[in-house]
Amino acid sequence: RKEVEQDPGPFNVPEGATVAFNCTYSNSASQSFFWYRQDCRKEPKLLMSVYSSGNEDGRFTAQLNRASQYISLLIRDSKLSDSATYLCAVNYEDTDKLIFGTGTRLQVFP
Amino acid sequence: GAVVSQHPSWVICKSGTSVKIECRSLDFQATTMFWYRQFPKQSLMLMATSNEGSKATYEQGVEKDKFLINHASLTLSTLTVTSAHPEDSSFYICSALDRRSYEQYFGPGTRLTVT
């Protein structure tokens, strides 16, 4: 079983739609959680950290469920510019290493 | 946010040759940097953790004698792919850990093609 798993998609949604991605992790010692966005042939860029109480940044909402060991990302009112691959990443207690999921590809169409 | 550069951005080399990739943190000191590899349509796979002034820590399955890492200063880590083979062709990305925020900043990546 992979340490961090995501549905690879692609998710094809119309502009304005709401879309949600889930990411599961296997190591219960995971301490910090992140969502990254990666455009084609580019490096990943941090979208948002995920806090225990959940957090929101504009149209983006991230949630953490420690009991079930998953994190989620909700994108409301999708824009064409949201088309990208979304990667979740976790790191473990006492380490600085980030372990990435396989990424979920989102394609927003007009 | 902080800036991390990588050089070169792309390189083509022949089988059997060695290629060096540089990763620099431009506006902060990074005692810890990371090297990743990404094959098409796959995720980033951590290869090794580069520690300033000490040996790199390699992930399981990554050959340390093939992928030489040197972190000789607080702003520079290098990855040398030795005796490159076509299967080493990939997108190599570094990141630098800014301990002021504990955030990792990624370089723009280096696309390596081995012919």
Side-chain angles (χ1 to χ4, degrees):
Chain A
R1 185 186 169 188
K2 290 183 181 174
E3 291 184 81
V4 182
E5 292 198 72
Q6 293 181 253
D7 180 344
F11 283 57
N12 296 305
V13 303
E15 274 185 290
T18 295
V19 62
F21 308 134
N22 280 339
C23 168
T24 57
Y25 58 94
S26 61
N27 191 327
S28 59
S30 297
Q31 194 70 12
S32 303
F33 309 88
F34 308 90
W35 282 104
Y36 282 80
R37 171 195 168 125
Q38 186 176 27
D39 293 292
C40 189
R41 302 173 80 87
K42 300 279 190 182
E43 77 276 21
K45 292 193 188 292
L46 181 65
L47 183 64
M48 57 199 302
S49 302
V50 186
Y51 303 120
S52 297
S53 55
N55 46 301
E56 188 174 304
D57 183 2
R59 298 182 292 109
F60 300 85
T61 302
Q63 297 276 357
L64 166 64
N65 186 317
R66 283 192 185 273
S68 301
Q69 294 185 198
Y70 77 84
I71 62 173
S72 64
L73 177 69
L74 182 80
I75 305 175
R76 289 181 298 279
D77 189 22
S78 298
K79 311 289 184 194
L80 294 175
S81 56
D82 293 334
S83 298
T85 296
Y86 291 83
L87 299 157
C88 64
V90 305
N91 74 356
Y92 306 140
E93 195 172 25
D94 297 333
T95 177
D96 298 320
K97 297 193 300 187
L98 276 180
I99 307 299
F100 282 86
T102 49
T104 299
R105 187 159 168 247
L106 171 67
Q107 184 68 49
V108 181
F109 59 87
Chain B
V3 178
V4 174
S5 69
Q6 264 184 258
H7 178 80
S9 55
W10 60 270
V11 57
I12 301 172
C13 71
K14 292 181 187 271
S15 282
T17 61
S18 295
V19 174
K20 182 187 280 188
I21 303 169
E22 293 186 350
C23 178
R24 291 181 189 274
S25 56
L26 298 184
D27 54 359
F28 67 101
Q29 293 181 336
T31 53
T32 303
M33 293 184 175
F34 302 92
W35 287 95
Y36 296 85
R37 181 167 55 179
Q38 187 175 35
F39 292 108
K41 300 193 184 214
Q42 294 188 27
S43 188
L44 280 79
M45 294 302 297
L46 180 65
M47 298 175 68
T49 301
S50 173
N51 303 298
E52 187 268 335
S54 64
K55 290 182 180 179
T57 306
Y58 290 82
E59 295 299 302
Q60 193 172 11
V62 178
E63 298 175 59
K64 63 180 181 186
D65 294 329
K66 180 170 178 63
F67 299 99
L68 302 178
I69 291 172
N70 185 284
H71 194 152
S73 80
L74 287 170
T75 58
L76 173 64
S77 174
T78 61
L79 168 70
T80 302
V81 182
T82 63
S83 188
H85 288 283
E87 55 263 34
D88 296 325
S89 299
S90 188
F91 191 44
Y92 291 84
I93 309 176
C94 71
S95 70
L97 177 65
D98 185 344
R99 293 199 180 272
R100 297 170 299 180
S101 61
Y102 271 88
E103 194 167 322
Q104 279 193 39
Y105 294 92
F106 284 83
T110 297
R111 197 158 298 279
L112 170 63
T113 302
V114 184
T115 61

